[in-house]
Amino acid sequence: AGSSTKKDTLHINMNRYTPYAPTGLSDCDASTVDQETLTGQPCRLSLAKGKPAVIRVGGGENWDKIYRAVQQANKEQTDGYKYHAVGAGSGTVSPMGWTFQGGLSGSSGSRMFGFGVDQVLQVEMVLPNGEHVKFGPTKWEVVQGYDVPKTTSVSG
């Protein structure tokens, strides 16, 4: 049982929030990525990590929806599977809770690709005071011996 089922806790059903995963997978092309704004930031960072694409995920989605979106995108490829999602071992788990608790999973490539928090490119949210914010790494450097770039600046 998750912490949302404990006595005196609040469970917010976000399942009807806007789903982005079914249409949110985007290929990244260095020649067309916006280099100056937060709009192009996820693709810039994805390319710096050596990954060909990004997927936008909404707050009410679960891993099943993401896995299905990635599977469908892979089926549409003519030259084999191109995309891989590092996620939870169960499709019913929310990416938000899973990621913000570290994103550990022994069955979905975490040992090869890193923890869930290593996969986050940008965060967009509404704060408790109602303010809408979007932020993510905007500067990074390649450090020898590491698989992913080291973040040196976060903007938003």
Side-chain angles (χ1 to χ4, degrees):
S3 60
S4 62
T5 60
K6 291 182 181 176
K7 183 181 177 188
D8 297 326
T9 61
L10 176 66
H11 183 111
I12 300 173
N13 184 353
M14 297 172 54
N15 201 39
R16 292 190 179 153
Y17 282 28
T18 303
Y20 295 105
T23 59
L25 197 137
S26 302
D27 283 310
C28 297
D29 180 350
S31 65
T32 60
V33 172
D34 181 348
Q35 297 294 325
E36 301 300 321
T37 68
L38 279 176
T39 303
Q41 177 270 332
C43 269
R44 287 195 316 272
L45 183 54
S46 182
L47 291 170
K49 290 178 161 197
K51 307 300 179 195
V54 298
I55 187 165
R56 184 176 184 192
V57 178
E61 297 182 274
N62 59 33
W63 279 107
D64 179 64
K65 294 173 185 175
I66 296 162
Y67 291 148
R68 288 177 189 266
V70 171
Q71 181 182 35
Q72 183 60 40
N74 279 326
K75 285 181 178 178
E76 294 170 4
Q77 299 297 312
T78 57
D79 55 348
Y81 278 27
K82 179 178 181 179
Y83 310 109
H84 175 85
V86 175
S90 172
T92 59
V93 173
S94 158
M96 303 320 127
W98 177 80
T99 303
F100 295 134
Q101 292 181 39
L104 305 174
S105 176
S107 63
S108 63
S110 292
R111 289 180 185 237
M112 186 182 310
F113 299 107
F115 297 137
V117 295
D118 297 326
Q119 312 307 318
V120 176
L121 302 173
Q122 188 178 78
V123 176
E124 182 175 0
M125 67 176 76
V126 176
L127 300 175
N129 67 0
E131 183 181 0
H132 176 247
V133 297
K134 183 189 294 189
F135 56 92
T138 49
K139 292 183 182 175
W140 48 84
E141 60 186 25
V142 175
V143 178
Q144 190 171 13
Y146 288 87
D147 292 335
V148 296
K150 177 184 174 184
T151 299
T152 59
S153 179
V154 174
S155 300

